[in-house]
Amino acid sequence: MNLAEKEALVREASEAYENERPEALLEWAVAKFPRITLACSFGAEDVVLVDMLQKVAPQVPIFYLDTDLHFRETYETRDRLQERYGIEFIRVSPALSLEEQAKEYGDALWSRDPNLCCRLRKVDPLSGVLRNYDAWITGIRREQAPTRANAKKVEYDVKFGLIKFNPLANWTSGDVWDYIKTNHVIYNPLHDQNYPSIGCEKCTRPVKPGEDPRAGRWSGFEKTECGLHQ
């Protein structure tokens, strides 16, 4: 399939599935692209997609980017999900350990240059793992941030060169939590402690009343995305 054909498919599918249930898009995506994967950060949206995939396409591999800097609660959520569904998430690691990164770039790089830290520990590893697939699934929603407001249900990901599916793009936060509660989905307990968006422990703080849901990410920097969805 050449680029023009991919772009045409993306336009048609995005329009066709805009008002369909996420499960319907997942079923179509898996049938159309057998080499597809889900990127999971163990946030609320992603655990919803994990649950959906176990019901409609349990064979789809699911990976996570292990920066070695996640909250303890995030790793515990990973373990509980693996036990619940009897699956093994694929661990994708950075090329450098934290010690090697500190030796090359200095201690606590995230506190000085979070963009570089995210590139080394997230974006580069993601680029590496996505080379094994023709399409990927993410949990981004339009409501999450201005940078995601125009996200389509199906897109051509120019940055990584493959088809990108965002089944929850038109969902609200209420839709996500309704699904979690109705289906008794395991979720990160930090969400109950004013962490609507959860990243690395070094770069995430609780959100104060009235703040933007992503205000707790990279607080103090003019940064709202780690680079995976830009």
Side-chain angles (χ1 to χ4, degrees):
M1 187 182 297
N2 60 38
L3 181 56
E5 291 172 330
K6 289 179 180 178
E7 290 177 340
L9 179 145
V10 161
R11 285 193 301 271
E12 294 171 7
S14 190
E15 291 176 8
Y17 286 91
E18 173 62 26
N19 297 311
E20 296 288 338
R21 296 171 65 245
E23 293 91 336
L25 178 55
L26 287 171
E27 289 179 329
W28 183 85
V30 173
K32 190 72 176 177
F33 297 95
R35 290 184 356 122
I36 191 170
T37 184
L38 167 64
C40 182
S41 67
F42 307 109
E45 291 80 9
D46 291 345
V47 299
V48 165
L49 290 171
V50 169
D51 186 76
M52 288 180 175
L53 275 178
Q54 299 318 297
K55 295 171 180 175
V56 304
Q59 77 277 14
V60 172
I62 304 172
F63 74 88
Y64 69 103
L65 302 174
D66 192 351
T67 62
D68 300 311
L69 292 166
H70 291 307
F71 286 91
R72 171 181 54 81
E73 290 86 348
T74 300
Y75 290 115
E76 290 174 350
T77 300
R78 173 201 62 190
D79 295 343
R80 292 173 62 212
L81 288 166
Q82 289 186 147
E83 183 177 357
R84 162 75 66 84
Y85 299 113
I87 58 178
E88 187 76 24
F89 296 111
I90 299 168
R91 179 175 181 264
V92 178
S93 302
L96 299 178
S97 69
L98 289 173
E99 293 75 16
E100 291 167 337
Q101 179 173 296
K103 182 178 292 186
E104 186 165 345
Y105 297 98
D107 289 332
L109 179 61
W110 51 84
S111 68
R112 294 177 287 103
D113 191 343
N115 285 319
L116 177 57
C117 191
C118 281
R119 180 173 68 78
L120 294 171
R121 310 205 73 75
K122 289 185 176 182
V123 180
D124 289 350
L126 177 65
S127 181
V129 71
L130 289 183
R131 293 193 188 103
N132 301 315
Y133 300 98
D134 298 319
W136 68 310
I137 305 162
T138 87
I140 68 172
R141 295 184 296 106
R142 296 165 190 156
E143 184 190 70
Q144 287 172 323
T147 52
R148 303 180 178 188
N150 296 316
K152 303 270 194 288
K153 288 284 193 76
V154 189
E155 303 175 321
Y156 181 71
D157 193 328
V158 177
K159 183 170 188 173
F160 297 110
L162 72 174
I163 306 297
K164 180 178 181 180
F165 291 92
N166 308 311
L168 307 181
N170 62 342
W171 272 28
T172 65
S173 176
D175 294 328
V176 172
W177 286 101
D178 284 346
Y179 184 95
I180 287 173
K181 292 171 184 176
T182 301
N183 293 276
H184 307 288
V185 179
I186 291 168
Y187 66 88
N188 194 323
L190 289 175
H191 287 309
D192 295 329
Q193 300 172 41
N194 300 319
Y195 287 85
S197 179
I198 304 168
C200 294
E201 185 173 11
K202 302 294 185 180
C203 298
T204 310
R205 65 162 173 81
V207 170
K208 300 172 185 176
E211 283 189 318
D212 182 271
R214 290 183 68 82
R217 304 290 297 276
W218 306 286
S219 184
F221 291 92
E222 291 185 3
K223 177 177 172 64
T224 58
E225 296 280 359
C226 56
L228 305 184
H229 304 293
Q230 291 171 307

